[in-house]
Structure formats: C-alpha cells, structure tokens
Amino acid sequence: MTRFFQVQRYTAILLVVFMALHMIVVHYPPGHIDFGRVIERLENPVWKAIDIAFLLTVLVHGLSGAWVVLVDIGKVNPFRKVLAVLIAIVGVAAFIYGTMTIIAFQLPT
Amino acid sequence: MADLNVITHDILIVGAGLAGTWAAMSAGENGVKDIGVLSKVHPLRSHSSAAQGGIAAALNNVRPVEGTGPRGPLEQIPPGDDPIDSPDLHMFDTIKGSDWLGDQGAIEIMVNEAPEIVYQYERMGCVFSRTPDGRIAQRRFGGHSVPRANYAADYTGHVLLHTIHEQAVRNGVKFYAEWYCLDLLVEDNVCRGVVALDITTGELYLIRAKAVFFGTGGYGRAWKITSNATANTGDGVAIAYNAGVPLMDMEFVQFHPTGVYGKGILMSEACRGEGGYLRNVNGDRFMENYAPDKMELAPRDLVSRSEQTEIEQGRGVGADGEGIYLDMTHLGAEKIMERLPQVRELALNFAGVDIIDAPAPIQPTAHYSMGGIPVNANGQVISDAEGTPVVGFYAAGECACISVHGANRLGTNSLLGASVFGRRSGKAMAAFVLSGAALQPVDEGAVKKNRQCISTLMDDSSINGKKESPAAIAEELKTAMTRYAGVFRDEERLTLACEKVQELTDRFKNARIMDKSRRFNTDLLGAIETEHLLTFSKVIVNSGLARTESRGAHYRTDYPKRDDEDWLKHTMAHKDSNGEPELSYKDVDIDWDRYPPQERKY
Amino acid sequence: MFKTTGFISFVLRRFTGVVLVLYLLTHIWVLGAANQGVEAFNRRMELFQSPVTITLEVLLLAAVVYHGFDGIRLLIVHYFNVTDQRKSLFYAAFATAALLTIVGGVPMLLFAFGIG
Amino acid sequence: MTAQEQTIQARVHIQRYNPDVDRKPYLQTFDVPVPQGMTILDALAYIKAEIDGSVTFRRSCRHAICGSCAVNVNGKNMLACNTPLRTVLTKKNEVTIRPLSFQPIIKDLVVDRSAFWEQYLKVKPWLIPPENSGPKEYRVTPEEVKALNRAETCIMCGACYASCQVVAMNRQYIGPHALLKAFLRVLDPRDSAPAERLELVSGTDGVFRCHTIFNCIDACPKNLNPTEAIETLRKLTQRRLAFEKEREERQKTL
Ligand SMILES: Cc1cc2nc3c(=O)[nH]c(=O)nc-3n(C[C@H](O)[C@H](O)[C@H](O)COP(=O)(O)OP(=O)(O)OC[C@H]3O[C@@H](n4cnc5c(N)ncnc54)[C@H](O)[C@@H]3O)c2cc1C
Ligand code: HEM
Ligand code: SF4
Ligand code: F3S
Ligand code: FES
C-alpha cells in the first residue's frame, strides 16, 4: 500500500512534466494529426524514449489509481490481491502494445 | 430460571472513571486476570474527563517568583534549590479545606502517594504541560498554599482518563460499555454480585463476582443548576443504600461560584484568577461587602454564598433574577483571547454572550459531592461506625466517602483521591481474591425483582389511572433541592425539602415512561435514575436537617458557626425498615497533636 | 459533508481519473494501428477527427487539466502544511483548470468546425 | 445589560428509527420554543421530557468534552451540546437532526460505534514507554508538548469519522480519529515503538487510504486537523527506521 501510494505520487509529479510536454508538442497548435505529423517528431530516438517513459508512467499511475478506486469499495477490498494481478496483466499488455506502436513509427523504407 | 443470563468475574467493577479504571488496572497488576468493568456510558465518556484544573501533588517543580505576591508569575525551581512544598503541607491544606471533617489518616495516605501517582500517569503517557526544563508544570489552585496543581492545559481530566483507559485496555481488562448496574446483591454483610442491564439490547444479566467495586461518580445531578454530567445521578450511592449499606456525610455538596447562568456548566476558576469582576444588577462589585481583601478571589464556598445573598436580596440578574454578572470586559480582547479562549467559546455557546464586550451571567452551581459510600483507606466499604467491613464490596472516587475531603473538597484533590484510592482498592481486592475468596451463592430472585420494577415502569394500566412523568418529577426535585438544600440552608427550607422529597417519592410510585421498547431505552434509564435521585436526596436533606452547624459546604443560616463540640463527626445514614434514613454518627480520625481543629480562615 | 470543496474535488478527481484510464486504454489501441502501417493509422485517425469527436476531446482536455491541477493541489497539501488554505487551493486549481480548458479548447473547436 | 431576546418557535425534524419495529427511518417533527442560549441538546432534552420520551440520543457532559452527543444536523456532523440551536435554523426556523452518517443505527440518533472503537484499538492507542523508566517524570519540552496538543484534545466524538466518505465506502479504513491518535503516539518522544506504529498505519487500510477529502477537519468540534496528522504520518512512513533511530537518541535524554 505504501508503495502504491508512493508510486502514484511520484508518477503524478512526472506526469505533470510529461503531460505538459505532450499537450504542447502533440496537440498544439490543434490540427490534423496524421502519420506524417507524428513521424516528424518520432524520427528522433530521444523522443521515442521519452514517449515510452511517458507511456510507462501514465500506465502505472492510471492503473494503480484504478486499483485504488476499486479497492476503496468495501466489498471489493478482500479481493485486492487478485485485482492487483489482473490490473498488472492489463498494464503489461498495454505497455508492450503501446511500445510496439511507438517503435512502429518509422519512415517507411 | 430459564431466561437467566449469568456472567461471572473474579472482580467486577462498576464505573469506568478514574476510580474504576485504576481499580481494574491495579487489580490486574496484582495478579487477578478475570476483571470486568461495567459502565453506563462508554468509559471515555465518564465524567472524570470534564475535570479542567489539574491533579494535586507536591512535586516541587515550580515556585512563585520572589516578591511578586500571591498572584504573581511562577518559575521552575532550579535543581538543587530548596523545595517549597511537601506532602505535609499538602496534608495541612487538605485538612483545613475539609474544615477538619476529613479523616487525617486517609488524607496522609493520599498526599504521600500523590507524587508517585502523578509520575505514573506521566509515564503511562499523559501529556502534561511542562516547565521550560521539561518537568510537569504546576499552577495555583484555590485553597492550596503553593502551586501544586499538575495540569494539562485546561483538559487535565480528559488526558488522565484517556491515558488510563488505554493502558487498561492494553492490560486486557474487559469493558462492558453501556451496561447499567441496577442492583447490588448484599446479604449477611457479604457482597455477591450485581444485576445489570445491557442498554443496547435491553437484556438483564446477573453478574456474580468475588469482589465488587463501585466507582460510579458523584450525585450533583440532584440540583437544577449543576456542573455535573447527566450521568452523575449518584446511582452507585443509591444502589448501595438500598442494599443496606450506609451513606456518609451526604449533606456536604460543594457549590462552585461560576456556573453558566441557567445551565451550571463550569466557567473555570481562571476567570476570576485573571481578574474578572463579579457584579450585581446595579453593577456593584458586591464582593467588597463580603471579602474586602480577597474580593473575587475568596474561597469558593464564600464567593458562592456572597452571590447567593445578593440574589436572595433581589439584586440578581437574568430572567428570574437568579444570576450574577461575571464581568471581564475590562480585561480587553487581547488578554481574553490569549488566556481564556475556551471560556469565551463557552460563554458564546452557552450564554450567547461574548465576554469581550459584555458580562456573562453566572450563578452558583452544584459541583462536587463530598459524601457517599463509607470506605476505609483500602477502599473496603464499611457498614457501621465501628468500621465493620462489607465483605467483598469496595468503592472509591466521588461515590465513596473515605473521607479525605471532609466538609469541603479542595480543587484538584478529587482526581487525586479517585486515582489513589481506586488503585489501593484494586490492590486490596486482588489480595482478597487471591487469598481464596469464593463466589457466593446468590438469590436469583433479584433479577426477577428488577424485571418487575422495569415492567411496572413500562406498564400502562396504572393504578388509580394516575400517571406521573419521571422527567417532571426529576425536574421538581432539582428545583426544590436548589431552592431548599442549596448554598444556604436552614430548618425551614430543609423541612420543606424533606416534605417535597417525600411527596415526589410517593408520586413516583405512579411514574410511567413513554418508551416501551427494549432496545436502548434511555427513557427507562432516566426513570431509574430519577428514583435514585429521590432515594439519596432524602438522605441529604435529613442529614442536613440534623446537622445544626455550618461547616465547609454545609451552611445553615440559622446556625452560622462551626460547632466542634457537637458536630465534629461524620453522619452515617442507614435505610431503616420503613425506608427512612436512620442517622448515626462516626468519629472523625484526627491527629490531635499534629493537626488539631483550628478556625478555617483564608 | 457532501457540499464541501473536499468532497466535490474528490468526486471530480475520481471520475476524471477513471475516465482518463479508460481513454488511455482506448488511445493505446487506436494508435496501435500504426503497427499495421501508415495507411491503417491515417485511416483510423480520420475516424477521430470529426467535429463530434473533437468536441469530446475538449471534454477530455477538461478532464486532464482538472485532474492534473487537482493532483498538483494534493501534492502541495502533502508536501506543505497548508490544510488551512484547503478551500482557496481548490478554487485555484479549479480556476486554472477552467482557464486552460478554454485556452486549449477554443482553438480546438475553431479547428473542428473549420473556422480557424 | 443585554436586551432580553425573545423566544422563537422552531420546527425540529428528528430522524426516528427503531429497527425492532420500523421498516425504515422516518422524520418526525416537533415544535420547540427556543429561548436565548438553547443548544441542540437542550432542544432534544426538551422534546424527550415534554413531548416524546422515546426520542433516543446520547449525551453526558453537556460541554463538548465527553464526545457522546455528535449528531448530523442539516447534513453536517457536529456536537449537539455546544451548538446553539439558533445558529442551525433555516430561514423558516427549521432544523433536521439525523444520527451520525454512514453508521449502523441502534435507535433514533444512537449509532453503533463498534467499528469506530475497533479502529481506535487497532492503532494501539496506548503509549509504549521506554524500558528504562526512572522514578520521576520523563523530561519533555514544552515545544514537544505543543506538537502533541494538536491531537491530545480529541474527544473521540466521531464527527470526523462519520463525515469521511472513505469510511462510508470501506469500513476497513482506520479513519481520521484513530490516525490522529496514532499521530499523537508516534510524535510523543516517550513512545518507543514509532517504527512499528508507522508500519501499522501504512498498511492497506491506513494513511494511504485517505484521499484528502478534508471533511474531517470541517467536522471536528475541537478544531483539530486529522488531515495534517495523516500527511505527517505519510511522510514519516517513508523514513520509518531513521525516525526510530532519532527517537532512540531522543530517549536517552528523557
Ligand atoms: C466540571 C468539573 C470540573 C472538575 N474539575 C476538577 C479538577 O480540576 N480537579 C479535580 O481534582 N477534580 C475535578 N472535578 C471533580 C472530578 O472530576 C471528579 O470528582 C472525579 O473525576 C470523579 O471520578 P470517578 O471515577 O469517581 O467518577 P466518574 O468519572 O464520574 O465516573 C463514574 C463512572 O461510573 C459509571 N456509572 C455510574 N453509574 C452507573 C451505573 N448505574 N451502572 C454502570 N455504570 C455506572 C459511569 O458510566 C462512569 O463510568 C471536576 C468535576 C466537574 C464536574
Ligand atoms: C498532470 C498529470 C496528473 C497528475 C498531477 C495526477 C495526480 C494524481 C494524484 C495526486 C492522484 C492521487 C489521488 C488520491 O490519492 O486520492 C491521482 C489519482 C489518479 N490518477 Fe492522476 N494525475 C495525473 C494524470 C493522470 C492521468 C493522465 C490519468 C489517466 C490515465 C490519471 C489517472 C488517475 C487515476 C485513475 C487515479 C485514481 C483516482 C483516485 O484515487 O481518486 N491521472 N492522480
Ligand atoms: S478528531 Fe475531532 S471530530 Fe474526530 S473524534 Fe476527535 S474530536 Fe471528534
Ligand atoms: S475526511 Fe477522510 S479522506 Fe482523509 S482527509 Fe479526512 S480522513
Ligand atoms: S454531551 Fe459531552 S460532548 Fe456533547
């Protein structure tokens, strides 16, 4: 529990940075988003790394948050271990899939 | 009986205030495992938590700064300097405060054990206020000749009670919270157990025990204007009396001069300590007619009497002219906010007055009951003037009369008394149980009898169609006690009081309650408590009528002098076969060489 | 009890948090189209660039900024002893979030409805 | 000196419920004359004595020190005994009194506090003093006492506990009252088991279950601040062992 809380708080701090970055870089100014626009940035491996870290952070934060929300409910609380495993599986799957996506952004050769 | 619930314990304790909890703790520490504690309110709700001022003990931590007078600042006593206080001095102050009615042997035990018990409280976790070098801070208190009140801001009792309760839980004491003790089973001068009601379910239980302890608190609720909690209905006192145990010195009840007008809630002595004035309806500081030197800082009983004189001579304030103004407006907002914030809050909430810009109406309030179940210094209840013990029955705290407070208790001595004698009782009970005491046979009819009483109260087909409301009876009793057995007494008033109590007792036979349910029936409890009030009020007024002198808190306008010749003795009241109190007297334990009676002058 | 800033902020934070998680998972799935190549990605992105979805995205933005600033508020409470300012802190977080939603949302809407 | 203010008439709605006979709680209305200075508790006592003796509530000290009388008034938890009735009346001179929220009801305004007390005992509310207890008092500085004062005046009234929605969702949560108590013991220089306590409150149901709703502060009649206590504990759990070392050092000079 201590760790979940810790993780939530630290990831929250990281998210402040990532989120700001993400909003500015990806969505500002608003406009049509297509492969081309994304690739401009993701050509740079540093951006790739940043996005992967962002993905990890947001997943950890969001999913541990979801776990907390569920476990807060008295009736669900006894199943918190099972839930943690389930959510971790979701998290890992989403992370792998998301990472593949990020890597997939390459100039077609 | 098929439906008889029986519980057994080695030691059963009734009351979870300081006295009861200490008894449980110390019985446990002395080797008894099976201890049950019964309390009609949750233990932490016991009235001990209301004590504000402090607990007395000659610790010698602080002294007045030299040359600053009786109200000057205090400083810590540097290590190595001469002490200013001693148990002997504490003893003398207590004896003097008691107007020489206190039993000096018991007082000596109390003052000698005082420092140790305060240290023990501290080591158990009480957060006392501190001197700069980290010792327990002390303050002055009325009637004590040196600063001796060890305190935790203005919630000392709260801290003590929580601490001791927690430690008792830690030691595995079993608490029955919200259980009401209805009856005590004493036969052939041997105590056998109690009948109790689980308030939540309404179930009756017979609780058998080798030793029973009462720490049921005071009986200040018999007055309309009182600082006491609603739980302080003197149940233990009445129950013991009904079981054939005598009551001692019941006529002595302390009135505090500054209770919130119409409510009695305590406004701390600090109001006057910080320089508050008392004024009558004309705005005069009337204390100059009664105590020109000490003015508002005269002892509690004197100030209360001065206020009452003003009120009775028509110079009172408030809707019914029963109040006096406590004026602190000249102190200024700053000082009030700094030193008396809680008092201001209190006056705001309970009198609707901001003491910064208006005087607060106050009036004398019933505060502490000196009398109670007679016990010796080991907490063992005695059944006559010779000190014959009731086997297996113990008591301490405000419900008991040891008597360390005599005719008038000094502030801060009651927390001390409850703790010291609660602890001693626990030890004595442990010795009694471990010496091979056995469970005594009980008459199971007792439960039936109590069940009968309850169903009578709930019954609606009342005799001669007359129904009385217990609440109304209680209200009338309180009004009568305030008027006729209050700060001032005389033959006429006390006779009126006797008649009134008798009338109400008769009327109570037709009392019926409105709530007919079993579950958490506070209406029923209220009725039973009213019956208790009537029971011991009768003893109070009769004892008071008989005592033709003025001593300590008992002030007879027709006998304004103390009379050591005839009345240097304790009143003992037994219930006779007609249910009337039968008075006898018991000598006061006095060390004639050391502390012979003197005039009580401040 | 139910009308306190503390409780309102809690409900909003919780609600936005859960919405964001659900969105995040969808988002990852949507972007996953990139794995199937450029066309697939662009096709899927088209789906999400209608005025309706962009309006929804503005709400999403509101959720993100609210959740974010409320989260920052909690971080402040955690690291500094400012519970006495609890009400002002909430108003500040809420106002900032509203402001940013407008600043970010208006251009998005303009874009969506082709006014920009 | 102050003008005698007039008695006004109030309509007091009280939630009644006796599980033995009633299918569900209902409101009953009583007309009460309100003289100057009448508290909510006075009004309840008036109703019980004069109108309906079966109205059930808890009370004892009458001046905000025993913690018996907390109830829910117009949707807020507070003490009945220190709240003047006039301050809670609506414009139409009405007031609604319910039992403390989220608690099982025993009868009328009396709630079952077992969970509340269980949580209180769960944090081991007693001091665990050091082994080397001397003959006199431990030396504690006035500053250290001042820090403890922020928790010491808690009267265990439960107003905070019954305003916390986390409690409402999950009865396993230790709750603000008990965490405040834990804070008191952890910060007490005389306590020798701070690490153990911090371990205890950092569990699944401890300080991290609190979502900083702040209702506990708003409800507390003693102006205490459980949230801050919880935040302090959270920070301390992160340096549990170091903190215990510091404590051991401190205790050498007790
Ligand atoms: C406002 C106020 C301020 C005070 N300030 C001070 C002070 O500063 N210093 C000082 O020394 N003294 C002070 N006193 C006096 C002191 O608080 C009491 O004398 C002392 O606390 C009594 O303790 P106790 O253990 O005897 O009883 P209590 O603490 O009153 O406890 C009585 C217990 O008995 C239980 N009980 C009673 N009847 C029954 C029953 N029928 N069945 C089951 N349980 C029952 C109750 O539930 C309770 O647990 C003050 C008193 C008041 C009213
Ligand atoms: C700027 C970015 C963010 C910050 C500062 C932030 C901060 C926080 C904080 C401090 C909490 C803890 C709340 C508590 O303990 O009660 C939290 C909870 C949560 N967050 Fe975030 N967050 C951010 C972004 C996100 C994002 C993008 C998501 C979604 C994927 C998310 C999902 C959640 C969830 C589901 C919870 C649990 C909800 C709850 O406990 O009430 N957060 N957030
Ligand atoms: S913290 Fe305040 S509200 Fe909570 S139990 Fe203690 S006194 Fe009551
Ligand atoms: S209301 Fe509850 S959620 Fe935390 S801040 Fe107070 S304990
Ligand atoms: S009656 Fe004691 S706190 Fe209200």
Side-chain angles (χ1 to χ4, degrees):
Chain A
M1 192 66 196
T2 323
R3 254 155 269 137
F4 265 107
F5 178 82
Q6 282 307 98
V7 163
Q8 271 238 294
R9 295 276 144 137
Y10 292 141
T11 50
I13 299 172
L14 288 176
L15 278 182
V16 173
V17 180
F18 282 136
M19 223 43 197
L21 208 62
H22 180 74
M23 282 303 175
I24 294 166
V25 183
V26 182
H27 298 285
Y28 206 84
H32 207 78
I33 296 179
D34 61 14
F35 198 90
R37 184 165 161 187
V38 177
I39 204 87
E40 269 174 46
R41 183 170 58 92
L42 280 186
E43 252 181 342
N44 188 339
V46 176
W47 272 116
K48 276 211 166 85
I50 290 178
D51 268 15
I52 293 174
F54 179 30
L55 176 68
L56 179 66
T57 320
V58 77
L59 272 174
V60 168
H61 177 89
L63 290 177
S64 66
W67 181 81
V68 169
V69 171
L70 289 171
V71 166
D72 265 349
I73 301 163
K75 292 225 169 63
V76 180
N77 195 300
F79 309 106
R80 54 179 179 267
K81 294 240 163 70
V82 186
L83 261 178
V85 173
L86 285 180
I87 285 192
I89 293 172
V90 173
V92 170
F95 181 64
I96 292 172
Y97 188 63
T99 310
M100 277 160 55
T101 310
I102 294 170
I103 292 169
F105 282 104
Q106 274 180 358
L107 281 180
T109 38
Chain B
M1 269 185 282
D3 55 346
L4 187 67
N5 308 299
V6 186
I7 298 174
T8 56
H9 281 294
D10 278 348
I11 295 179
L12 178 74
I13 288 175
V14 182
L18 289 187
T21 318
W22 263 112
M25 277 275 284
S26 101
E29 275 165 10
N30 285 288
V32 179
K33 290 279 161 297
D34 180 16
I35 304 167
V37 180
L38 217 70
S39 175
K40 67 173 174 181
V41 295
H42 184 279
L44 293 179
R45 317 290 188 218
S46 299
H47 195 55
S48 292
S49 71
Q52 307 171 343
I55 175 168
L59 300 191
N60 277 304
N61 286 350
V62 303
R63 66 183 177 198
V65 175
E66 220 168 304
T68 54
R71 291 282 139 185
L74 301 173
E75 63 180 6
Q76 65 187 30
I77 301 180
D81 271 26
D82 287 340
I84 57 160
D85 200 2
S86 67
D88 276 349
L89 190 55
H90 187 180
M91 181 169 173
F92 175 75
D93 288 342
T94 305
I95 294 170
K96 182 175 166 190
S98 81
D99 223 349
W100 274 269
L101 194 68
D103 285 329
Q104 301 187 358
I107 295 176
E108 183 156 23
I109 290 174
M110 179 176 84
V111 298
N112 282 331
E113 290 190 14
E116 202 257 312
I117 207 140
V118 173
Y119 289 140
Q120 196 169 343
Y121 269 126
E122 200 279 336
R123 290 198 298 267
M124 289 191 310
C126 282
V127 183
F128 284 105
S129 297
R130 300 286 167 159
T131 63
D133 70 352
R135 285 176 286 170
I136 299 174
Q138 300 181 290
R139 59 159 68 118
R140 294 191 179 88
F141 229 82
H144 293 281
S145 47
V146 294
R148 184 187 286 143
N150 304 282
Y151 64 95
D154 56 359
Y155 41 82
T156 314
H158 167 84
V159 174
L160 299 185
L161 182 66
H162 280 236
T163 306
I164 181 87
H165 174 71
E166 286 153 6
Q167 294 292 339
V169 172
R170 183 187 184 192
N171 287 5
V173 173
K174 171 148 180 54
F175 285 92
Y176 296 86
E178 298 187 324
W179 280 52
Y180 190 96
C181 171
L182 286 166
D183 209 351
L184 176 73
L185 308 176
V186 180
E187 238 172 280
D188 307 325
N189 229 13
V190 179
C191 177
R192 294 142 198 274
V194 305
V195 178
L197 172 80
D198 178 352
I199 300 176
T200 311
T201 61
E203 204 68 52
L204 280 184
Y205 287 81
L206 176 66
I207 307 184
R208 303 175 60 191
K210 296 171 184 167
V212 173
F213 174 92
F214 268 22
T216 53
Y219 50 84
R221 270 273 140 186
W223 283 265
K224 192 173 168 64
I225 304 299
T226 173
S227 67
N228 282 203
T230 52
N232 285 11
T233 47
D235 297 342
V237 176
I239 292 168
Y241 179 68
N242 286 333
V245 175
L247 298 182
M248 191 159 105
D249 290 345
M250 291 293 286
E251 62 270 37
F252 294 101
V253 175
Q254 183 176 72
F255 291 85
H256 195 288
T258 54
V260 173
Y261 172 67
K263 299 194 188 253
I265 290 163
L266 200 68
M267 303 259 282
S268 159
E269 209 169 290
C271 300
R272 284 168 296 135
E274 297 293 346
Y277 297 153
L278 293 172
R279 295 182 191 278
N280 61 21
V281 73
N282 305 324
D284 300 330
R285 280 182 73 191
F286 55 85
M287 283 309 294
E288 60 197 9
N289 303 327
Y290 304 93
D293 289 341
K294 293 226 154 174
M295 295 296 284
E296 280 82 3
L297 297 175
R300 279 182 191 174
D301 50 344
L302 204 156
V303 179
S304 291
R305 284 199 286 274
S306 313
E307 289 177 0
Q308 198 62 30
T309 310
E310 291 295 307
I311 291 167
E312 292 190 0
Q313 294 179 354
R315 290 189 293 277
V317 306
D320 52 5
E322 298 267 313
I324 287 291
Y325 281 133
L326 173 60
D327 185 359
M328 285 169 281
T329 51
H330 57 283
L331 298 180
E334 202 174 314
K335 188 162 176 185
I336 287 175
M337 291 309 290
E338 186 197 320
R339 309 263 179 91
L340 303 166
Q342 312 247 15
V343 173
R344 175 168 178 255
E345 194 102 319
L346 227 122
L348 264 179
N349 288 338
F350 297 113
V353 167
D354 188 345
I355 57 173
I356 292 176
D357 36 56
I362 51 105
Q363 83 190 97
T365 181
H367 185 52
Y368 185 85
S369 30
M370 270 75 73
I373 306 167
V375 294
N376 63 26
N378 288 324
Q380 176 129 52
V381 176
I382 56 178
S383 61
D384 56 25
E386 281 70 53
T388 315
V390 180
V391 178
F393 186 31
Y394 297 76
E398 201 170 332
C399 71
C401 183
I402 298 185
S403 134
V404 285
H405 306 306
N408 177 52
R409 163 192 78 115
L410 289 190
T412 71
N413 262 354
S414 49
L415 292 179
L416 177 63
S419 312
V420 165
F421 293 106
R423 186 172 68 166
R424 290 178 67 88
S425 309
K427 203 167 159 193
M429 282 190 287
F432 172 69
V433 168
L434 296 178
S435 71
L439 285 174
Q440 302 288 332
V442 292
D443 172 14
E444 297 189 343
V447 175
K448 213 171 175 180
K449 193 186 91 196
N450 281 284
R451 191 169 286 146
Q452 187 55 44
C453 289
I454 292 175
S455 48
T456 311
L457 280 169
M458 289 206 187
D459 193 10
D460 246 344
S461 57
S462 60
I463 343 134
N464 13 339
K466 265 201 239 147
K467 259 200 287 185
E468 294 279 354
S469 141
I473 292 180
E475 211 43 45
E476 279 187 47
L477 173 74
K478 291 171 186 178
T479 309
M481 291 296 281
T482 302
R483 198 167 295 161
Y484 306 133
V487 177
F488 287 127
R489 300 156 177 198
D490 58 32
E491 183 162 345
E492 195 192 326
R493 295 190 221 211
L494 287 168
T495 314
L496 279 171
C498 280
E499 285 164 8
K500 189 76 194 174
V501 173
Q502 189 56 49
E503 178 210 318
L504 293 172
T505 310
D506 292 338
R507 275 168 55 192
F508 190 82
K509 296 199 182 92
N510 294 338
R512 295 294 179 269
I513 57 173
M514 293 189 240
D515 191 347
K516 316 285 182 198
S517 59
R518 280 164 71 85
R519 176 188 279 263
F520 220 95
N521 193 334
T522 47
D523 206 19
L524 172 66
L525 299 186
I528 296 171
E529 286 167 352
T530 302
E531 192 170 12
H532 291 155
L533 294 182
L534 289 165
T535 306
F536 67 75
S537 291
K538 186 177 249 177
V539 180
I540 295 175
V541 291
N542 278 292
S543 311
L545 190 57
R547 186 176 282 273
T548 50
E549 64 155 354
S550 291
R551 180 186 298 273
H554 176 67
Y555 193 87
R556 296 269 308 241
T557 47
D558 45 356
Y559 299 93
K561 289 256 162 348
R562 191 173 90 191
D563 177 0
D564 284 347
E565 199 96 336
D566 296 318
W567 287 107
L568 189 52
K569 57 190 181 188
H570 299 294
T571 312
M572 299 271 271
H574 272 94
K575 189 174 181 177
D576 72 9
S577 48
N578 301 324
E580 295 300 312
E582 182 188 303
L583 303 182
S584 59
Y585 293 92
K586 177 173 176 288
D587 287 339
V588 181
D589 171 14
I590 291 178
D591 187 336
W592 290 93
D593 298 328
R594 281 167 77 199
Y595 301 112
Q598 307 168 1
E599 198 188 341
R600 178 169 167 254
K601 255 197 344 217
Y602 285 98
Chain C
M1 238 164 57
F2 296 100
K3 292 179 197 149
T4 56
T5 53
F7 182 63
I8 294 168
S9 68
F10 168 70
V11 171
L12 287 177
R13 164 169 18 105
R14 196 138 265 207
F15 179 71
T16 52
V18 173
V19 167
L20 287 177
V21 170
L22 295 179
Y23 168 76
L24 176 67
L25 296 178
T26 339
H27 192 55
I28 290 173
W29 170 74
V30 170
L31 297 183
N35 287 321
Q36 282 123 50
V38 182
E39 280 70 45
F41 180 80
N42 283 348
R43 231 178 302 119
R44 210 176 273 179
M45 285 313 282
E46 279 302 325
L47 284 177
F48 291 91
Q49 313 237 335
S50 74
V52 179
T53 44
I54 292 189
T55 313
L56 285 177
E57 268 186 356
V58 175
L59 292 180
L60 187 72
L61 173 71
V64 170
V65 284
Y66 173 76
H67 184 97
F69 282 101
D70 197 56
I72 291 172
R73 182 181 66 106
L74 292 194
L75 293 172
I76 293 173
V77 172
H78 178 64
Y79 290 105
F80 310 95
N81 296 336
V82 287
T83 47
D84 285 346
Q85 273 76 50
R86 56 190 180 277
K87 290 218 170 73
S88 339
L89 273 171
F90 170 72
Y91 295 135
F94 195 86
T96 323
L99 192 74
L100 276 187
T101 308
I102 295 168
V103 168
V106 170
M108 274 167 77
L109 287 176
L110 293 179
F111 166 76
F113 295 99
I115 309 170
Chain D
M1 290 186 210
T2 43
Q4 198 60 45
E5 284 196 40
Q6 282 198 326
T7 298
I8 53 174
Q9 204 70 24
R11 308 200 55 158
V12 180
H13 311 289
I14 298 180
Q15 178 175 319
R16 307 292 310 271
Y17 182 50
N18 178 353
D20 292 339
V21 291
D22 302 323
R23 286 211 0 259
K24 56 175 197 249
Y26 59 98
L27 285 182
Q28 191 177 350
T29 304
F30 301 92
D31 289 311
V32 179
V34 190
Q36 185 60 249
M38 182 186 237
T39 61
I40 296 175
L41 184 61
D42 293 337
L44 289 172
Y46 170 86
I47 291 168
K48 189 172 181 69
E50 306 288 333
I51 310 176
D52 186 348
S54 66
V55 172
T56 305
F57 51 91
R58 286 193 180 101
R59 85 278 182 260
S60 187
C61 71
R62 305 170 299 146
H63 61 279
I65 191 68
C66 75
S68 305
C69 68
V71 284
N72 182 291
V73 181
N74 295 340
K76 280 189 187 152
N77 295 332
M78 57 182 78
L79 295 183
C81 70
N82 77 344
T83 314
L85 187 60
R86 285 171 191 237
T87 59
V88 293
L89 290 180
T90 60
K91 284 193 197 74
K92 288 163 147 175
N93 284 342
E94 289 185 292
V95 58
T96 310
I97 308 176
R98 293 194 164 85
L100 280 183
S101 331
F102 317 139
Q103 317 293 312
I105 298 174
I106 293 179
K107 183 168 158 189
D108 294 352
L109 303 177
V110 174
V111 295
D112 179 357
R113 285 171 176 275
S114 349
F116 176 80
W117 293 121
E118 251 165 54
Q119 302 300 352
Y120 160 74
L121 293 179
K122 207 155 141 192
V123 300
K124 302 190 179 165
W126 47 82
L127 184 84
I128 301 172
E131 295 293 334
N132 58 333
S133 65
K136 287 196 170 185
E137 71 266 58
Y138 297 116
R139 296 296 181 97
V140 182
T141 67
E143 292 70 41
E144 285 166 331
V145 168
K146 212 165 165 194
L148 299 182
N149 285 160
R150 288 187 297 162
E152 184 56 73
T153 47
C154 169
I155 57 175
M156 289 292 156
C157 67
C160 56
Y161 182 76
S163 333
C164 175
Q165 277 87 1
V166 177
V167 171
M169 289 188 289
N170 183 354
R171 227 139 278 271
Q172 300 295 311
Y173 174 45
I174 292 178
H177 68 304
L179 290 172
L180 186 67
K181 192 82 194 186
F183 164 87
L184 173 76
R185 294 306 176 210
V186 166
L187 257 72
D188 194 323
R190 299 167 296 178
D191 193 84
S192 29
E196 182 195 326
R197 291 179 190 283
L198 289 168
E199 172 81 49
L200 198 149
V201 299
S202 67
T204 332
D205 305 313
V207 286
F208 300 119
R209 176 71 66 223
C210 162
H211 295 297
T212 329
I213 297 175
F214 295 129
N215 277 354
C216 47
I217 309 181
D218 290 331
C220 182
K222 301 306 259 185
N223 291 324
L224 300 175
N225 191 332
T227 314
E228 202 149 302
I230 291 170
E231 294 289 5
T232 310
L233 289 177
R234 282 173 173 171
K235 275 174 265 187
L236 288 177
T237 52
Q238 263 122 85
R239 41 186 287 266
R240 213 150 44 83
L241 298 174
F243 187 71
E244 177 132 312
K245 280 265 144 45
E246 287 164 30
R247 174 58 48 80
E248 276 160 21
E249 280 308 304
R250 169 69 185 87
Q251 289 192 341
K252 288 185 184 142
T253 58
L254 270 177

